């Protein structure tokens, strides 16, 4: 983030965090994006990620790609 990227890719950043840790990470990312806009591509096996945080969510099941709400 020090180099002010246009895109930040995060692979399973919340995988080993508890609920408070996940919430804290998402809040931190939201604050950083307000100060320094960047696109965020985040992969996760957690289908219940907060919907308000993301502009678009995609789910892959087997060979099927579905757009989430």
């Amino acid at each position: 983030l020090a180099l002010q990227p246009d895109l930040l890719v995060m692979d399973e950043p919340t995988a080993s965090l508890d609920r408070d840790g996940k919430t804290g990470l998402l809040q931190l990312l939201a604050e950083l994006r307000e100060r320094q806009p960047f696109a965020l591509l985040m992969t996760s096996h957690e289908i219940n990620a907060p919907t308000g945080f993301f502009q678009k969510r995609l789910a892959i099941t087997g060979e099927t790609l579905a757009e989430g709400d």
Side-chain angles (χ1 to χ4, degrees):
L1 292 173
L3 298 176
Q4 300 180 343
D6 292 327
L7 172 65
L8 178 63
V9 178
M10 301 178 79
D11 183 23
E12 294 281 347
T14 60
S16 62
L17 300 177
D18 62 9
R19 179 189 289 185
D20 291 338
K22 291 174 189 177
T23 300
L25 176 63
L26 293 177
Q27 287 175 344
L28 175 62
L29 288 170
E31 291 171 14
L32 289 171
R33 289 175 75 188
E34 286 179 16
R35 286 188 257 147
Q36 172 186 320
F38 56 88
L40 174 63
L41 174 63
M42 184 166 70
T43 63
S44 177
H45 286 93
E46 299 178 41
I47 194 68
N48 296 324
T51 57
F53 185 77
F54 301 99
Q55 291 178 344
K56 183 174 278 193
R57 294 184 339 157
L58 300 174
I60 301 172
T61 305
E63 295 181 11
T64 303
L65 179 63
E67 188 170 339
D69 295 331

